[in-house]
Amino acid sequence: MVSSVVSYRRVGRVGVITVDYPPVNAVGVGVRSGLRSALDAGLADAWADILLLTAAGRTFMAGADIREFGKPSQPPILPEVIAAFDASAKPIVAAIHGTALGGGLEVALACHFRVALRSAKLGLPEVKLGLLPGAGGTQRLPRLIGPAKALDMILSGDPVTAATALELGVIDAVDDGDSALDAGLRLAERALAEGWAPRPTSARTDKITDIDPALFADRRAALAKRAPHLFSPHRCVDAVEAAVALPFADGVARERELFFACMESPQRAGLIHSFFAEREVAKIPGLPADTPKRDVRAVAVIGAGTMGGGIAMCFANAGFSVRLLDAAAESLDRGVQAIRRNYEASAKKGKLTDAQVESRMALIRPTLSYDDLADADLVIEAAFENMEIKRRIFAELDRVCKPGAILATNTSTLDVNAIAAATRRPQDVVGMHFFSPANVMRLLENVRGAQTADDVLATVMDLARRIGKVGVLVGVCYGFVGNRILHQRGRESMALVDEGASPQQADRVMTEFGFPLGHFAMTDLAGIDVGWRIREERRKSGDPDAQAVNWLDALAEQGRYGQKTNAGIYRYEPGSRVAIPDPAVDAMIAADRAKRGLVPRAVSDDEIRDRCLCAMVNEAAKILDEGIAARPVDVDAIWLHGYGFPAHRGGLLFWADQVGLPVIAEAIDGYHARFGGSHWELSPLLRRLVLEGRGFRDL
Ligand code: 3H9
């Protein structure tokens, strides 16, 4: 034992170094110094002729310890530890299982031989955290596989399978066993038998000579298009270029410089906040991790429309058996066909095999009868957004479902408590609000009703993880968290157009901020008819907050529903998603302004950005104050995973903290003075935070 997290022992002539730092063997200061000491022990051990690096637990090292970032670094630093492995006088084998990521893979790249279990994955995901591989990865990987393939891995940040890693030349062997230690020992024995000498990666040059400089120019040009506002991808290209242009030691120094530039960037802070936000939301205050969960194997979905079909796919993809129910045979048939088409499209793109398509289809069994839901452990209702219909469905579920079945509604606007009241088991009723397209979008708002039982909450939060979603627990209110904030952005975007901005300008400002789509392009994607029907319903019910009919409703009345009808706020060529501005819509907006006596003015990009984002932050603060979201991180995760909030800005409220709450509060007060309206009244929480000199981060 050389430290509490790294051990050294000998097996025959092989000196075995084992990292054991759960849960993911992150390379923190303890692991770094342990690795260094274990290497020294191995080098000093006269009985060891070769060394083997391996890790205990579920994975090889998953990278540097992200929790240390932003704090003063503690020696030994990782590049130095790695350099010692590279320079070892005894050959070193690395044996990989689970995931070898970031700094973890960089340690392995400095070992002289690498073997991985077939199930292992290897990658350099630093770019996803706003960084670049900063422990020699940008210098060693090109030496092993050439700069073009190294750039593919480093710029995508996605891990590759062991088989691909072997094909690329990242590793020397794939092992079909299930123990990395045994695989490593086998390779080490072979190395001894065949007298393999140390083979430092740093000394290799064959893959980095005669490289056409156009490679780097091309990658820079592609990045300028794909990720113009991101900092670290551009630095990754600089670092790999240095691997080709400079001697190894100078390349490493250049990499270090670039790594620190990334480390200082606010984008790094934002991306790391996003990384932890995704994990933090799973931990619910007041709901201990050991809360019992109900056993869910059989799932039923009610409603075979786009939403219901997407939800059924999510569960089938994760291996659950799914009953898909619809009231009408024709809609059921259409729904099943749509699911098949969806799977077949994935198969065409090579994402699924034909056999997988069939096995998933076999898991989804259509039915017209509620009696077939008697065995379901979980039922998710995704019927038409109408309270009467939903209450009728839940009364029926109450009649047919077995005791203990979880009854979930996918409503996006209706009161979950009123739906629960249609049953005699409100403790089993919960909201599971999926986002369209449900089989693609990662967000799942799980809605806690007034009487929802804790084990139901624990179960649906766990299910979110099992079907690959980011589950966030929210409370009951109109629109819950995500759509309530979206509503504010929508209202403000419409107001800005009333005042003189064009939808294209408003959208451009949002995409320049980092959203994949602006508000109006997103409305076209989601379907203008969706919001129009909801607004119509509110108008008909005499809701005092219902909005007056606007040009958007006029578009819907003309059948311009957005992308699905090739016309909405923009125009679309058949089969294309490219939004083309439409003069006919500009004319409708102009006529609408004239009718209402509005005189358009030039609206600046800054005003568009600030008004949209301030309105969102103010609403989010009200949501927090009302306890609808438990923590700022929940709001951040919802907007990151449901609405494409730019991850490099960390999330809506992380961004607000970066800008400074006094600046935001002052702007909101200014808008209130200028425009009035309860939505511009400063949230009491925001006012309190400013007065106390605190931020959302302090909550
Ligand atoms: C780097 O390496 C820089 C170097 O190039 C240069 C250095 C000089 N550190 O995700 P999970 C925690 S940058 C600290 O739920 P899974 C995680 O927060 C790094 N903590 O499990 C969670 O904690 P909690 C490059 C980490 O099985 C717990 O471990 N590496 C780290 O679904 C379990 O995680 C990466 O970017 C870390 N590096 O997935 C890899 N990683 O239980 C990031 C995880 O308290 N990690 N934790 O919530 C991952 O992609 C996934 O965690 C992994 C496991 C695939 C490993």
Side-chain angles (χ1 to χ4, degrees):
M1 205 70 180
V2 292
S3 85
S4 60
V5 290
V6 183
S7 62
Y8 175 77
R9 70 195 161 107
R10 198 160 17 73
V11 177
R13 290 163 65 198
V14 185
V16 180
I17 299 170
T18 307
V19 178
D20 188 2
Y21 183 43
V24 297
N25 293 313
V27 192
V29 60
V31 172
R32 295 196 299 273
S33 59
L35 280 172
R36 186 62 244 225
S37 309
L39 176 65
D40 288 344
L43 291 172
D45 182 351
W47 297 89
D49 295 323
I50 188 166
L51 303 178
L52 168 62
L53 172 65
T54 183
R58 68 194 216 213
T59 178
F60 193 76
M61 291 169 270
D65 191 336
I66 303 173
R67 292 176 203 274
E68 288 182 355
F69 292 170
K71 300 178 189 155
S73 71
Q74 285 175 275
I77 59 168
L78 190 54
E80 279 169 15
V81 175
I82 288 181
F85 274 72
D86 187 275
S88 162
K90 291 182 184 177
I92 311 182
V93 170
I96 296 167
H97 72 295
T99 41
L101 298 177
L105 179 59
E106 289 176 294
V107 178
L109 294 179
C111 294
H112 306 148
F113 307 98
R114 285 161 293 281
V115 57
L117 295 188
R118 191 163 293 282
S119 53
K121 295 215 164 135
L122 302 88
L124 292 171
E126 285 88 343
V127 74
K128 296 187 180 182
L129 300 174
L131 291 170
L132 53 84
T138 65
Q139 308 302 299
R140 286 192 181 85
L141 191 61
R143 281 174 162 78
L144 287 173
I145 67 173
K149 288 174 182 157
L151 276 170
D152 290 344
M153 277 184 74
I154 292 171
L155 287 174
S156 79
D158 293 332
V160 298
T161 60
T164 306
L166 178 66
E167 206 181 297
L168 288 169
V170 181
I171 56 175
D172 305 289
V174 173
D175 190 287
D176 282 310
D178 54 13
S179 154
L181 175 65
D182 291 348
L185 286 172
R186 272 193 290 275
L187 191 68
E189 292 299 344
R190 187 174 148 209
L192 285 175
E194 296 178 9
W196 296 355
R199 190 186 60 171
T201 312
S202 60
R204 282 186 63 173
T205 52
D206 52 314
K207 292 275 170 60
I208 51 166
T209 37
D210 298 329
I211 302 301
D212 182 352
L215 167 70
F216 301 103
D218 290 350
R219 295 303 172 109
R220 288 193 174 97
L223 277 178
K225 275 201 191 140
R226 179 174 68 81
H229 39 250
L230 293 185
F231 183 75
S232 77
H234 301 266
R235 306 293 84 74
C236 290
V237 179
D238 296 345
V240 173
E241 188 175 41
V244 170
L246 304 175
F248 183 78
D250 296 346
V252 165
R254 177 81 181 122
E255 177 196 79
R256 194 93 189 127
E257 246 171 58
L258 293 164
F259 178 75
F260 278 116
C262 293
M263 198 57 125
E264 310 272 286
S265 122
Q267 296 191 357
R268 189 272 306 161
L271 283 160
I272 286 181
H273 178 76
S274 311
F275 175 85
F276 284 118
E278 181 179 334
R279 288 153 179 85
E280 214 44 45
V281 291
K283 299 165 194 156
I284 311 294
L287 195 73
D290 57 1
T291 306
K293 296 177 196 77
R294 297 190 189 178
D295 192 21
V296 174
R297 290 159 205 254
V299 177
V301 178
I302 298 180
T306 313
M307 207 39 162
I311 297 172
M313 289 172 76
C314 292
F315 283 92
N317 294 349
F320 288 84
S321 106
V322 186
R323 274 285 187 190
L324 182 62
L325 181 146
D326 203 286
E330 202 187 316
S331 333
L332 188 59
D333 217 42
R334 243 197 335 260
V336 173
Q337 292 311 322
I339 294 175
R340 175 169 282 284
R341 271 199 307 280
N342 222 316
Y343 278 138
E344 283 173 353
S346 300
K348 239 187 217 143
K349 287 183 203 148
K351 291 184 187 162
L352 289 180
T353 62
D354 291 343
Q356 280 170 323
V357 172
E358 292 315 320
S359 67
R360 290 184 195 191
M361 285 308 296
L363 283 172
I364 301 177
R365 290 172 307 143
T367 178
L368 292 165
S369 164
Y370 274 85
D371 292 334
D372 284 337
L373 310 190
D375 290 337
D377 302 306
L378 163 72
V379 183
I380 302 172
E381 165 277 315
F384 199 66
E385 194 71 350
N386 172 291
M387 183 55 97
E388 262 332 290
I389 296 178
K390 297 209 188 247
R391 284 179 58 89
R392 236 181 292 138
I393 292 173
F394 273 75
E396 189 64 6
L397 292 176
D398 196 19
R399 189 183 66 78
V400 298
C401 290
K402 66 182 180 189
I406 297 176
L407 310 182
T409 170
N410 176 54
T411 182
S412 54
T413 53
L414 301 175
D415 182 352
V416 174
N417 295 324
I419 295 172
T423 72
R424 286 159 298 166
R425 38 174 130 176
Q427 73 283 359
D428 297 339
V429 178
V430 68
M432 290 180 85
H433 180 208
F434 287 80
F435 287 73
S436 189
N439 53 315
V440 177
M441 297 299 292
R442 287 197 73 211
L443 176 63
L444 173 60
E445 280 181 331
N446 284 326
V447 188
R448 169 189 231 149
Q451 297 187 57
T452 313
D454 278 0
D455 62 344
V456 170
L457 295 177
T459 308
V460 294
M461 290 302 291
D462 184 56
L463 279 170
R465 188 189 51 78
R466 285 167 66 192
I467 61 171
K469 303 282 177 207
V470 177
V472 185
L473 191 62
V474 301
V476 176
C477 70
Y478 185 83
F480 310 121
V481 173
N483 282 347
R484 201 170 133 180
I485 295 172
L486 177 70
H487 177 71
Q488 291 304 325
R489 189 181 73 173
R491 191 192 37 67
E492 210 46 37
S493 303
M494 290 297 282
L496 286 155
V497 170
D498 282 349
E499 289 166 47
S502 66
Q504 299 88 281
Q505 184 194 5
D507 279 357
R508 178 179 47 74
V509 171
M510 284 295 130
T511 52
E512 281 172 5
F513 181 77
F515 279 100
L517 287 179
H519 186 79
F520 293 106
M522 199 185 108
T523 307
D524 266 357
L525 178 63
I528 299 178
D529 52 325
V530 180
W532 171 56
R533 291 217 166 88
I534 294 172
R535 288 191 293 275
E536 282 285 291
E537 179 113 351
R538 293 188 88 173
R539 282 193 276 263
K540 273 190 215 141
S541 71
D543 184 337
D545 292 334
Q547 297 167 30
V549 175
N550 55 33
W551 58 268
L552 208 51
D553 297 320
L555 282 177
E557 277 159 18
Q558 289 181 10
R560 294 186 65 133
Y561 291 167
Q563 279 194 22
K564 59 185 160 193
T565 56
N566 292 331
I569 300 162
Y570 296 91
R571 182 168 82 63
Y572 302 86
E573 293 298 338
S576 157
R577 289 172 175 275
V578 178
I580 307 166
D582 189 343
V585 176
D586 294 337
M588 281 173 75
I589 294 171
D592 186 56
R593 287 188 196 120
K595 194 173 84 193
R596 293 157 59 203
L598 302 172
V599 181
R601 65 180 171 89
V603 182
S604 75
D605 288 359
D606 284 353
E607 181 173 349
I608 292 175
R609 190 191 54 239
D610 291 353
R611 274 173 60 182
C612 287
L613 291 165
C614 284
M616 291 165 69
V617 172
N618 202 31
E619 190 67 16
K622 291 176 187 174
I623 285 171
L624 284 172
D625 230 3
E626 293 165 25
I628 299 293
R631 300 155 298 186
V633 76
D634 294 310
V635 174
D636 284 347
I638 285 172
W639 266 76
L640 286 164
H641 297 288
Y643 303 85
F645 194 94
H648 67 273
R649 297 191 188 271
L652 179 64
L653 298 182
F654 184 85
W655 170 84
D657 273 345
Q658 303 284 88
V659 172
L661 297 194
V663 177
I664 292 193
E666 195 181 321
I668 293 172
D669 277 340
Y671 294 133
H672 189 233
R674 208 167 129 198
F675 305 111
S678 59
H679 52 275
W680 278 127
E681 271 165 24
L682 186 63
S683 127
L685 171 65
L686 210 40
R687 189 177 301 284
R688 249 182 357 258
L689 287 174
V690 170
L691 290 175
E692 291 165 5
R694 302 197 303 154
F696 288 114
R697 69 175 77 82
D698 302 309
L699 288 177

